[in-house]
Each structure stands twice: as C-alpha cells, then as structure tokens.
C-alpha cells in the first residue's frame, strides 16, 4: 500500500467534494435535500472503492470523480432550468396547514407525527397551533410557518415609525491581526 497515493486520493477527494458543494451553492448541511445526500453517499462509495484498492491509480479515480461531479452539476443545471425536472429531483413544498386547518392528506403523505410538528413550531417560538395560519413542509425537511396577523410581532413599519438604519458590524481584528482593508473602508488608518 502506497501511503503517498492514499494521501493524494484523500486530498483530491476532499477538495473535489468541497468544490462540488460550492459550485452547487450548498453552504451548509441545512441546505441539503435527500437527493444531495445520495450524491454524497455515492461520492463516498467512489472514494472508498478507490482508496482501498491499490490497483486503482489516481487517474481512474480522478476520472470517476470528474464524471460524477459533472453529472451532479448537469442535474442541478437542468433542475434550475426546467420546472418538471426540478419537481422530479427536488420535489416541492407541501402545505401541512392551510388557513388554520391541518391538511391531513399532506400530513399522512409525508409520514408526519403531531409531536414532530409541535416540536418544530416550538423551535419557531410558537407554543399554540391557534397562532398558526399556514405551515409548509419544505423540500429540505424544514417547516416554514406563517402566523395569523394578530400573532405577528409588532414592527416599526406597522407602527409607522422611521428608525435610523443600523450599519453592519465590522471585524477590525481577526485572529490577532488588524484587518487593514476593513479599517480603511471606514475611513480610519
């Protein structure tokens, strides 16, 4: 077993995985859909099969990773351009509650349990279903919640207030080093 070849395969695999996720615009695991998880599992299988087989050199490994990455990119590209293709590979959000009424057909179709729904709305700071007008199960498995207007928080706009805009906070020192570009952008030196 050549440790140099194994290290090279691991490094190339990691870089390819990071590059593929960035090209696809996935910045965090919360953005992954079930289909993306399948991408990652197959990618892991490619890496696994080549990593433990010394007869498979770096060229066949790179070829496999390249073909897989291009295939993923093409599927994502087609999903962005074609609604039917997007629905097939990404799915669509399902209404779980509409106008305060549970949609039991959608609830059952998605194999949901009431305790899962209740814990999810609690994570949004809602402790009573009476506050909720609409709930959608998104393609990534998360819930989007729309409260009735009476339970919406009061904001400056609803009270016709004109507050001063707040500037973003700036990181002037990062890991003990002064960020000179940021300091100059605020007119300091």
């Amino acid at each position: 077993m050549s440790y140099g070849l194994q290290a090279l395969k691991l490094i190339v695999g990691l870089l390819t995985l990071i590059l593929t996720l960035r090209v696809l615009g996935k910045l965090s695991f919360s953005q992954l859909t079930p289909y993306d998880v399948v991408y990652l599992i197959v990618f892991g299988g490619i890496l696994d099969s080549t990593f433990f087989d010394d007869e498979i050199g770096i060229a066949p490994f790179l070829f496999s990773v390249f073909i897989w990455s291009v295939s993923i990119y093409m599927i994502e590209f087609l999903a962005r351009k074609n609604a039917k293709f997007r629905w097939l590979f990404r799915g669509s959000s399902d209404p779980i509650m509409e106008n305060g009424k549970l949609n039991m057909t959608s609830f059952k179709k998605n194999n949901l349990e009431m305790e899962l729904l209740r814990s999810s709305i609690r994570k949004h700071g809602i402790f009573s279903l009476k506050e909720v007008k609409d709930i959608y199960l998104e393609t990534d498995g998360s819930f989007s919640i729309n409260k009735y207007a009476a339970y919406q928080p009061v904001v400056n706009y609803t009270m016709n207030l004109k507050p001063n805009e707040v500037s973003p906070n700036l990181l002037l020192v990062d890991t003990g080093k002064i960020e000179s570009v940021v300091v100059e952008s605020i007119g300091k030196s």
Side-chain angles (χ1 to χ4, degrees):
M1 177 193 306
S2 167
Y3 291 112
L5 180 60
Q6 303 298 43
L8 183 61
K9 287 178 182 179
L10 282 174
I11 291 168
V12 168
L14 176 64
L15 293 176
T16 305
L17 177 63
I18 291 170
L19 179 66
T20 302
L21 290 175
R22 292 294 181 223
V23 166
L24 296 176
K26 309 295 181 188
L27 302 176
S28 69
F29 280 112
S30 65
Q31 294 177 311
L32 296 179
T33 65
Y35 198 71
D36 295 323
V37 174
V38 172
Y39 293 160
L40 295 176
I41 290 170
V42 173
F43 182 82
I46 292 170
L47 183 59
D48 179 56
S49 64
T50 59
F51 183 74
F52 291 109
D53 189 349
D54 288 337
E55 294 179 16
I56 299 175
I58 196 71
F61 171 65
L62 286 174
F63 177 76
S64 298
V65 168
F66 175 76
I67 294 299
W68 185 246
S69 298
V70 168
S71 300
I72 291 169
Y73 181 77
M74 292 305 298
I75 289 170
E76 293 289 332
F77 178 79
L78 290 171
R80 278 188 230 118
K81 299 294 183 189
N82 184 304
K84 288 181 182 177
F85 197 83
R86 179 176 35 256
W87 179 83
L88 179 65
F89 282 94
R90 291 286 173 207
S92 61
S93 58
D94 283 331
I96 301 302
M97 180 180 273
E98 297 175 288
N99 294 316
K101 305 265 188 233
L102 275 176
N103 181 337
M104 291 310 290
T105 304
S106 184
F107 197 83
K108 289 177 184 175
K109 178 185 109 181
N110 289 291
N111 296 317
L112 295 176
E113 296 176 2
M114 186 53 77
E115 190 53 37
L116 172 67
L117 181 63
R118 290 177 62 233
S119 68
S120 295
I121 67 169
R122 284 193 302 267
K123 290 176 184 175
H124 284 85
I126 302 168
F127 292 88
S128 173
L129 281 173
K130 292 178 185 177
E131 298 178 31
V132 179
K133 182 178 181 202
D134 304 302
I135 300 176
Y136 293 92
L137 178 62
E138 301 297 344
T139 57
D140 65 356
S142 66
F143 289 97
S144 295
I145 300 172
N146 179 29
K147 293 193 227 178
Y148 282 108
Y151 295 103
Q152 295 285 355
V154 177
V155 293
N156 291 324
Y157 175 77
T158 58
M159 298 193 61
N160 293 323
L161 297 176
K162 305 256 189 244
N164 294 330
E165 292 296 326
V166 178
S167 298
N169 62 15
L170 301 171
L171 184 63
L172 300 176
V173 178
D174 188 17
T175 61
K177 296 179 185 171
I178 295 174
E179 296 291 330
S180 56
V181 173
V182 178
V183 172
E184 290 174 10
S185 74
I186 60 172
K188 305 289 182 184
S189 59

